Amino acid sequence: MNPKLKRSLWAWLALSPFVVIILFPFAVMLFTALKPAEEVFSFPTRWLPVQWRWQNFIDMWHGANFGPALKNSVIVSMASTALTLAASVPAAYAMARFPFRGRSHYRQFLLVTQMLSPILLVLGLFKMAANISWDGANLVDSHFGVIVAYAAFNIAFAVWMLSSYFATIPRDLEEAAWLEGCGQGRAALRVFLPLATPAIAVSFIFTFINAWNEFAVVYTLIRSPENKTLTVQIVDMVAGQYTVEWQLVMAATLCATIPVAVLFAWLQRFLVGGLALGSVK
Amino acid sequence: MTSARKPWLLIAPSLALALFIIGYPVFHMAYQSLHEISRFGVVRGFAGLGNFTGIFIDPVFHATLLRTLIWTVAVVGGSLLISMPLALILNQDFHGRSLARTIIMLPWAVSLTMTAIVWRWAFNDEFGMVNLSLQALGVIDKPVQWLASAALAFPAEILVGIMVSMPFTVTLLLGGLSSVPQDIYEAARMEGATAWQQFRLLTVPSLRPFINMAVVLNVIYVFNSFPIIWVMTQGGPSNSTHILVTYLYELGFRLGRPGQAAAISLIMLAILLAFTWLYIRMQPKEEAA
């Protein structure tokens, strides 16, 4: 047997228990989502549905108020990601290009902000939202408060990833532009930014996924059902209910999970380099 | 514009935003923790250290503090222990490697909340697929009450915690492995080093900064991890699965004791700061930039 084939067999054999455990929840979601209610709660329990019920996805769409929740998730994630990047790109550029005094302090500050998770500050955040008047009321139950909070908590991760990519973009091209009489700011916009676009796109998507998946802040700050995002909306289907309609809940988690999982699967290779470099350098 | 000021102007927006969103809540929680506050948020008066002493005589807090320690050590240690061999395998050249990497990274893409919901259903004692599968495999002969029993719910949550922390750890270690120069291995083989010696004497030392980083970031994330426990058991049955974050949420938003919840937040903050300070002290000195 050739060595690579042998190695492949061993590798997959060693990975197989992990693959089974990782794919297990996906199988649970899929097969529960496709069962009629009476099969979900019947003995003996079976893995596969006897009767495949695709109608669950339509019932879930209405039952979970899926459409409006999806829209809220998109709005909150998009806006907070845009705000995160608007603040992080210049900062990452400074980190990658200028050996300024206080740079290591700024780095430590980022580590500290990474450390203070939203849940730790959630009481204070709630109070803060309640004290800031906004739109005739206050920031509790407003998307704006959630957006700003997410942006602040995502800055560390974004600066981290961006600056490690930015450092790999050669400085010479910008310097050549300066010699041609281009100002430093213009050179950054005209020469550096186009080269940095792929890195910014990758950071955009990762920040977006972080915001999309966040739970504690939106769970605390958003009160009315019409303002809830997908995550909280689905948790509401299982929390404090006497009977949980698991087939609809699993249909909803599947629909909320698959698009993000596909996006992530496609992008994960960018993480290996960027994250590791950013965290150690 | 002088060049000394320019970088500060560039980082100013990010600094201002983060300082504001973090500074105000920290300040406010410090204030709350020192005052007596009604369940509706009305300040009744100065409490001194009353909230802190209230916490320190609360037996649930003691059990929760200890459980948080167990949770953090078990999840971080467990994920590091399984991530190391996984990263070594995924760093090999074999057929289907990119598929294998994608599968191993997958739990990262799913939100913790969704993961917790799915496992809560999978661990259902009557109709859940964990019991179904284990019975089919002959591991157990009658359904187990996973989340309804204090002895099983917390270990089950630890396993879920390990599974969701593993992809990030593998990613960091893979990044580290790809930065190890390959020629040192050839030299070692020429000297007759065994595979184990190569791993212990070459791989582990070159990975050390990456392992350190994985431990630090995982400790921070796991210590603060809210959705898994909150969605799976809400700290129950009878407070047996609370960790500090879920307990503070319950105190603050369910039991109407915001002052004590703020006190727990500050205690957690102090623990994390001490941990980070220790980490920064242990780092080799950075160049004087």
Side-chain angles (χ1 to χ4, degrees):
Chain A
M1 198 169 5
N2 82 43
K4 188 169 174 182
L5 194 61
K6 197 173 159 189
R7 199 160 57 229
S8 306
L9 282 176
W10 276 114
W12 279 102
L13 194 68
L15 292 175
S16 56
F18 297 99
V19 172
V20 170
I21 293 174
I22 287 167
L23 296 182
F24 182 86
F26 289 91
V28 170
M29 275 191 262
L30 184 66
F31 294 131
T32 310
L34 290 171
K35 281 177 188 170
E38 56 277 15
E39 269 188 60
V40 173
F41 300 106
S42 74
F43 280 116
T45 328
R46 299 161 41 100
W47 261 100
L48 297 180
V50 177
Q51 192 198 338
W52 296 70
R53 197 178 147 87
W54 298 91
Q55 174 74 23
N56 281 343
F57 285 92
I58 295 162
D59 295 347
M60 169 282 286
W61 193 273
H62 302 299
N65 207 14
F66 202 86
L70 183 70
K71 195 180 119 213
N72 289 335
S73 277
V74 170
I75 291 172
V76 167
S77 310
M78 274 290 180
S80 66
T81 306
L83 189 57
T84 305
L85 288 186
S88 303
V89 169
Y93 182 78
M95 293 292 281
R97 283 291 189 265
F98 303 104
F100 59 98
R101 276 169 60 90
R103 190 171 148 213
S104 59
H105 289 117
Y106 178 68
R107 189 189 296 280
Q108 285 168 9
F109 170 76
L110 288 182
L111 186 65
V112 171
T113 68
Q114 188 77 81
M115 185 181 91
L116 302 176
S117 73
I119 180 66
L120 201 67
L121 301 182
V122 82
L123 283 159
L125 282 172
F126 183 78
K127 232 16 216 196
M128 181 162 154
N131 285 348
I132 296 174
S133 50
W134 173 265
D135 207 12
N138 57 36
L139 278 178
V140 175
D141 209 26
S142 110
H143 285 160
F144 182 74
V146 177
I147 289 165
V148 175
Y150 281 3
F153 285 108
N154 273 314
I155 281 174
F157 182 78
V159 171
W160 217 323
M161 283 215 16
L162 285 169
S163 66
S164 74
Y165 277 107
F166 287 0
T168 65
I169 297 172
R171 199 184 277 261
D172 320 4
L173 294 168
E174 274 171 272
E175 281 168 1
W178 302 346
L179 290 179
E180 300 282 330
C182 196
Q184 210 175 343
R186 258 176 62 126
L189 283 180
R190 289 288 189 74
V191 181
F192 177 82
L193 214 54
L195 289 169
T197 310
I200 295 173
V202 170
S203 303
F204 183 96
I205 293 171
F206 278 110
T207 312
F208 184 88
I209 292 176
N210 270 350
W212 186 272
N213 287 344
E214 204 282 335
F215 175 63
V217 169
V218 77
Y219 185 61
T220 312
L221 289 189
I222 298 293
R223 292 294 149 116
S224 49
E226 66 272 15
N227 284 340
K228 285 184 176 169
T229 61
L230 217 45
T231 327
V232 179
Q233 192 70 48
I234 296 175
V235 169
D236 276 0
M237 292 172 79
V238 298
Q241 308 278 346
Y242 287 111
T243 49
V244 179
E245 295 179 287
W246 284 106
Q247 72 286 3
L248 302 189
V249 174
M250 289 298 114
T253 55
L254 197 65
C255 288
T257 296
I258 293 298
V260 181
V262 170
L263 198 65
F264 190 92
W266 175 54
L267 279 167
Q268 61 51 36
R269 63 204 163 95
F270 292 105
L271 268 184
V272 176
L275 205 60
L277 281 176
S279 57
V280 176
K281 259 191 185 162
Chain B
M1 186 168 30
T2 61
S3 64
R5 265 216 239 121
K6 200 178 296 169
W8 283 104
L9 282 173
L10 290 170
I11 64 171
S14 63
L15 202 59
L17 185 58
L19 273 179
F20 180 64
I21 292 293
I22 287 162
Y24 183 94
V26 170
F27 161 78
H28 198 92
M29 289 187 322
Y31 176 84
Q32 271 197 321
S33 72
L34 296 175
H35 286 79
E36 195 189 328
I37 300 184
S38 78
R39 59 187 304 131
F40 304 107
V42 179
V43 178
R44 291 224 184 94
F46 188 70
L49 293 176
N51 286 316
F52 288 91
T53 48
I55 282 298
F56 282 121
I57 56 171
D58 174 3
V60 179
F61 174 77
H62 286 276
T64 303
L65 186 63
L66 178 67
R67 199 174 302 108
T68 309
L69 185 72
I70 297 170
W71 163 258
T72 309
V73 171
V75 174
V76 175
S79 74
L80 194 65
L81 274 181
I82 64 167
S83 297
M84 188 56 118
L86 281 175
L88 287 171
I89 294 171
L90 292 176
N91 196 43
Q92 305 287 316
D93 177 31
F94 63 93
H95 292 293
R97 178 172 74 160
S98 61
L99 176 66
R101 280 194 182 189
T102 305
I103 294 173
I104 297 292
M105 300 304 170
L106 215 47
W108 195 353
V110 184
S111 79
L112 293 179
T113 319
M114 296 300 137
T115 305
I117 291 176
V118 177
W119 282 103
R120 181 172 144 189
W121 164 236
F123 277 123
N124 185 294
D125 47 354
E126 286 176 280
F127 308 106
M129 296 190 180
V130 172
N131 276 340
L132 172 67
S133 307
L134 290 179
Q135 278 178 293
L137 291 171
V139 180
I140 52 175
D141 52 7
K142 59 177 197 301
V144 174
Q145 297 217 335
W146 295 99
L147 299 181
S149 71
L152 290 176
F154 194 58
E157 285 166 341
I158 287 179
L159 289 180
V160 175
I162 291 175
M163 194 186 83
V164 296
S165 313
M166 171 274 292
F168 173 73
T169 318
V170 170
T171 302
L172 275 179
L173 296 179
L174 267 177
L177 285 172
S178 66
S179 73
V180 180
Q182 288 307 303
D183 45 346
I184 60 171
Y185 288 98
E186 245 152 74
R189 270 195 292 276
M190 304 247 281
E191 302 279 336
T194 63
W196 173 245
Q197 281 172 329
Q198 288 175 35
F199 173 75
R200 199 166 51 89
L201 299 172
L202 298 177
T203 311
V204 171
S206 5
L207 277 187
R208 184 141 298 145
F210 296 87
I211 295 174
N212 288 345
M213 205 61 217
V215 170
V216 172
L217 289 176
N218 272 330
V219 165
I220 293 169
Y221 296 150
V222 173
F223 186 73
N224 288 322
S225 177
F226 178 66
I228 293 175
I229 290 178
W230 189 256
V231 172
M232 283 178 73
T233 56
Q234 297 222 343
S238 57
N239 292 330
S240 66
T241 58
H242 267 309
I243 59 171
L244 288 172
V245 278
T246 58
Y247 191 51
L248 92 82
Y249 199 91
E250 180 149 304
L251 283 178
F253 293 99
R254 292 275 165 88
L255 303 178
R257 286 147 68 186
Q260 293 190 348
I264 294 187
S265 284
L266 290 182
I267 293 168
M268 288 185 67
L269 211 65
I271 296 174
L272 281 169
L273 275 175
F275 177 77
T276 315
W277 179 79
L278 209 67
Y279 165 74
I280 291 173
R281 281 289 303 272
M282 278 163 55
Q283 286 291 89
K285 277 269 178 283
E286 211 184 346
E287 68 277 23

